[in-house]
Amino acid sequence: MPLPNNPDWEAMKYKVGDTTEAVLKQNRQVEAFKNFGDGMAAYVDEAVDGIFIAGGKMFSSIQEGRDAVGDGQYYFVANPSQYISRAVYRRISSTESRLITVEPTQEYTTQAVSRSISAMRVWSYPNTDFHLQHPQHLLADQSLNIIRSDGADGFSVSLRRGEMRETPYPYTAFRDKAISARVGRDGGVLSAQTPRSLYGRPAAYPYTAYADKATYAIVDGGDNVVALPAAASQPAPFSESGPMHVSLDKASGELYVSWQHGTDQMMRVCYRPNGHNDLFNWRSTEVADLGDPEKAAWLTISSSLSDSWPPFRVKAVNNGDGGGRIYTGGNHGGGGGASGEQTARMTSLSFTIDGRRVEPGALMRGYAREVIAHWVNEVMAYNTITLERYVLQQEIRATFRPGDISGFSRITALEDIEIETDNGPQTFSTGYDTLHFYEGQDQTRQLVSDMSGASSGYFQDYPTWAAVLGSSQYGFHGTWMDREFGAGDGRYLSGSIGYWRRGDGSNTKVYAAVIGDTEVQALASGDYYEWHGGYFWSPPNIASNLDSAFTFHRRGVPNVGYCRLTAGDGAIQMPSLYDGREVESVGVSGLSGVPVSTTGYVTAYSKII
């Protein structure tokens, strides 16, 4: 942001009765620095290649330093400001010194860098004070710096050449019935027609993504059009500002993320407070033809009031009410299913988009690279429902990226408890025809309809790490778990339970397993365990002569998982997001995809470098 008004600015100007060009220049530089509010830019006239005397001693005035050095030598002069640490001068003669640079303080540099990083993404912040006018015509110079933006209502914003340090692209115009203002990338109001400019909000829009009816021209120094890119008038829906479109209503907790899904489709996933207990959870998955996500005709693949992030079967060791053995949390109430008393409550929900925390009540719509949702639930035991006592805390941090949602879950006992079942990540097979348990007992792909109650096999013999659903229309969807992290290693599994299983009869859900079967896991008050896993969606064309393939993020690192059922060759047609990236130990993603050659049944996951 522009630097605040500060009395130190005047103190920085040297008034020693000396009217040399150096002093006048110093004052001009200070004034420019104040106006631009950009301490990251040094006003360098020439490189400092001389030697500082006295080990870089700091002098209190220009004259004092000049008297202490010889012609051509450099010296430091202290500046009484929280933003400027010192100035560097070079002695020209006994009566003249030349300003070389003004150096910002470490504190200001850190703040400026922080603001710069936090402002890298492009977001709108709708509010009652302003609404955004999307430009219909943009003029830019050959460096693609915006010179002028013309709106549909005739409102025009122009930049003079040389202002780019002050108003870097992208900037945007705010306007209501009484106000118009120019707003910089860091959110500072640069100019306004009324004193209400203090209402300015941080905002910047990716014009190539939002101005879908705009024209775009590159002009020369005389503002003569020199090029009109053909693609500019029909911008790609997923731009350099981020490959994922996000719509978030922080007040309601409703989140939509969408991304390009194959060559001609988009996919959208909705999360929101959902189900009987109103906990943040998956709500729906949709597809649409490739285009503007905000104007698309979305077709629902699957939608449910049920849960993906799981409920529990948990018992309080002490002072229970004798309640029967049912699930609590998730979508489960006191009646066992989605009925009866609520058995869980969400105590917090927060969002971070590209490293920028979303403020309470904000409405956000734009493009990004990732969204992190962090929420905490408290869950009753099946024998504390009538007592309305919460016995465990379920904390989840999930990261949404194009094609996958990866998360960490930590379960903490609020009192002495015994957990009988934790299903880990679970999903719905609706919309998909086939199912394959990677490294399962049946090393093949089967029809979902033929797998009622099916298990991946005894977990010690079949270390299944993913359950992959398939559809010729929608591609691949499923869940995975990190078998080398926390409770994902099967330490709390017993008996004949498999890592994955399909529901019985009409229950078409697919469940993982963290705790289950013949034993219970006792946790004393304060004890906890963690697991890491998530969900993925990949387009049909990703698997070429393979059983299946998908991209996901394991421990924050992009990976590609795949399976070939028999010996032979195939290829993974990676999403364009990963063009040119190397897949560790497999190959580089090019036009022909990543080559895969196997000598038999193989499942694997490899890092995308």
Side-chain angles (χ1 to χ4, degrees), residues 131-134 149 155 157 171-175 181-183 207:
H131 68 274
L132 196 66
Q133 296 295 314
H134 302 303
S149 166
F155 180 60
V157 174
Y171 75 95
T172 190
F174 281 97
R175 177 180 173 89
R182 278 194 297 135
V183 180
Y207 293 121

Side-chain angles (χ1 to χ4, degrees), residues 139 250 352 425:
L139 281 181
K250 179 61 170 64
T352 303

Side-chain angles (χ1 to χ4, degrees), residues 137-157:
H137 184 73
L138 307 177
L139 281 181
D141 62 21
Q142 292 180 347
S143 297
L144 301 184
N145 293 315
I146 299 300
I147 295 172
R148 190 174 71 245
S149 166
D150 299 321
D153 61 352
F155 180 60
S156 180
V157 174

Side-chain angles (χ1 to χ4, degrees), residues 427-485:
T427 193
F428 303 81
S429 61
T430 305
Y432 295 87
D433 309 310
T434 63
L435 175 60
H436 180 189
F437 296 126
Y438 273 24
E439 301 290 345
Q441 186 172 9
D442 296 315
Q443 297 181 347
T444 185
R445 178 165 295 281
Q446 301 182 53
L447 292 174
V448 173
S449 57
D450 294 338
M451 296 185 71
S452 175
S455 168
S456 60
Y458 182 40
F459 74 94
Q460 290 184 348
D461 295 331
Y462 300 101
T464 314
W465 60 276
V468 184
L469 295 156
S471 162
S472 60
Q473 183 177 3
Y474 304 128
F476 303 100
H477 165 55
T479 62
W480 65 274
M481 283 194 70
D482 188 336
R483 291 305 184 192
E484 298 175 356
F485 178 87

Side-chain angles (χ1 to χ4, degrees), residues 568-590:
D569 299 324
I572 305 169
Q573 305 294 337
M574 299 284 284
S576 58
L577 177 66
Y578 298 113
D579 282 352
R581 301 280 289 274
E582 182 177 353
V583 177
E584 189 175 61
S585 303
V586 183
V588 175
S589 178

Side-chain angles (χ1 to χ4, degrees), residues 227-505:
L228 183 63
S233 60
Q234 294 293 330
F238 300 100
S239 69
E240 287 301 317
S241 55
M244 182 172 68
H245 184 269
V246 179
S247 176
L248 170 64
D249 183 340
K250 179 61 170 64
S252 68
E254 185 173 68
L255 170 68
Y256 285 92
V257 293
S258 54
W259 60 85
Q260 185 167 342
H261 185 68
T263 57
D264 56 3
Q265 281 189 326
M266 298 181 294
M267 179 160 281
R268 183 170 76 170
V269 172
C270 174
Y271 264 61
R272 58 170 300 161
N274 194 38
H276 187 70
N277 292 307
D278 210 28
L279 308 179
F280 191 69
N281 223 310
W282 172 85
R283 180 67 175 87
S284 63
T285 303
E286 303 163 283
V287 293
D289 293 335
L290 189 62
D292 185 341
E294 296 188 39
K295 299 178 180 178
W298 291 99
L299 172 67
T300 299
I301 299 175
S302 181
S303 177
S304 178
L305 294 173
S306 188
D307 42 49
S308 289
W309 299 91
F312 304 87
R313 274 203 292 247
V314 56
K315 175 184 177 181
V317 174
N318 304 307
N319 304 315
D321 61 10
R325 185 172 174 264
I326 62 172
Y327 279 100
T328 56
N331 186 45
H332 294 261
S339 63
E341 305 93 328
Q342 288 187 322
T343 61
R345 63 184 179 187
M346 183 168 63
T347 60
S348 68
L349 173 63
S350 63
F351 297 95
T352 303
I353 300 180
D354 287 347
R356 191 174 189 171
R357 186 177 177 85
V358 180
E359 296 302 320
L363 297 169
M364 305 190 71
R365 185 171 291 113
Y367 287 80
R369 300 193 178 279
E370 67 176 29
V371 177
I372 297 176
H374 192 159
W375 69 101
V376 177
N377 303 324
E378 290 182 345
V379 182
M380 297 177 182
Y382 60 67
N383 63 339
T384 65
I385 297 173
T386 62
L387 304 174
E388 298 183 352
R389 194 168 86 235
Y390 300 93
V391 302
L392 71 78
Q393 176 181 278
Q394 177 187 33
E395 181 178 5
I396 300 167
R397 187 179 73 244
T399 303
F400 296 70
R401 301 180 179 94
D404 83 291
I405 303 169
S406 60
F408 290 85
S409 180
R410 180 170 63 189
I411 312 305
T412 303
L414 301 178
E415 60 180 76
D416 294 349
I417 58 175
E418 293 178 346
I419 300 181
E420 301 172 5
T421 306
D422 178 345
N423 287 323
Q426 51 193 41
T427 193
F428 303 81
S429 61
T430 305
Y432 295 87
D433 309 310
T434 63
L435 175 60
H436 180 189
F437 296 126
Y438 273 24
E439 301 290 345
Q441 186 172 9
D442 296 315
Q443 297 181 347
T444 185
R445 178 165 295 281
Q446 301 182 53
L447 292 174
V448 173
S449 57
D450 294 338
M451 296 185 71
S452 175
S455 168
S456 60
Y458 182 40
F459 74 94
Q460 290 184 348
D461 295 331
Y462 300 101
T464 314
W465 60 276
V468 184
L469 295 156
S471 162
S472 60
Q473 183 177 3
Y474 304 128
F476 303 100
H477 165 55
T479 62
W480 65 274
M481 283 194 70
D482 188 336
R483 291 305 184 192
E484 298 175 356
F485 178 87
D489 62 5
R491 66 185 67 175
Y492 300 138
L493 298 178
S494 59
S496 61
I497 190 171
Y499 273 156
W500 259 273
R501 69 187 188 280
R502 181 204 180 274
D504 295 321

